[in-house]
């Protein structure tokens, strides 16, 4: 059975929240959600809250906040952040009580690639940092998945 990982930078504008909402309403067989870019722990909390509001439970991992070349990104809250997401019920699966282990999202992608093989598809709707790091970590496993479906582009920096 086909499985999907939604790799998202949810929290800056409506498109990723809309994509997650649509996936949940259509019962897309999600293996889990990973977040990428800037404050990934906040992004994961937003995804966890959306899951809770939809009555769903899935693994959610805060992923890499910085680019692979080490360019430091800011850690300000996402524009869709609200104080209630600080509730521990919205904690990402890789939150230790103080911080998120950002490598856990890449680990989750690699483990899922090994588990599902050609039945796994990554829906990459944010920067491709987690996907690139997973390929670097285990090129063979990622080379055997069904594919990466991505939304690409940056309309703000043209």
């Amino acid at each position: 059975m086909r499985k999907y990982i939604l790799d998202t930078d949810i929290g800056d504008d409506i498109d990723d929240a809309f994509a997650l909402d649509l996936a949940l309403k259509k019962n897309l067989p999600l293996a889990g959600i990973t977040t990428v870019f800037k404050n990934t722990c906040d992004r994961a909390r937003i995804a966890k809250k959306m899951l809770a509001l939809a009555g769903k439970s899935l693994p959610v991992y805060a992923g890499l906040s910085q680019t692979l070349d080490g360019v430091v990104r800011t850690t300000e809250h996402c524009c869709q952040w609200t104080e209630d997401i600080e509730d521990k019920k919205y904690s990402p699966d890789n939150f230790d009580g103080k911080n998120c282990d950002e490598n856990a999202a890449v680990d989750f992608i690699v483990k899922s690639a090994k588990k599902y093989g050609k039945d796994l598809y990554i829906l990459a709707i944010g920067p491709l940092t987690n996907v690139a790091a997973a390929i670097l970590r285990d090129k063979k496993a990622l080379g055997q998945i069904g594919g990466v479906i991505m939304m690409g582009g940056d309309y703000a920096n043209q």
Side-chain angles (χ1 to χ4, degrees), residues 115-137:
K115 180 176 180 179
Y116 298 111
K118 66 179 172 67
D119 291 329
L120 180 69
Y121 289 80
I122 299 172
L123 302 174
I125 60 174
L128 299 172
T129 314
N130 288 336
V131 176
I135 292 168
L136 290 172
R137 182 153 317 147

Side-chain angles (χ1 to χ4, degrees), residues 84-142:
D84 65 315
I85 66 168
E86 291 297 326
D87 189 307
K88 69 179 184 177
K89 68 183 173 186
Y90 302 130
S91 294
D93 290 88
N94 55 330
F95 184 70
D96 67 7
K98 292 184 181 181
N99 299 301
C100 290
D101 172 10
E102 293 184 359
N103 289 307
V106 176
D107 293 340
F108 175 72
I109 292 170
V110 170
K111 286 177 187 174
S112 296
K114 290 176 179 178
K115 180 176 180 179
Y116 298 111
K118 66 179 172 67
D119 291 329
L120 180 69
Y121 289 80
I122 299 172
L123 302 174
I125 60 174
L128 299 172
T129 314
N130 288 336
V131 176
I135 292 168
L136 290 172
R137 182 153 317 147
D138 194 331
K139 185 177 181 179
K140 181 179 178 186
L142 271 287

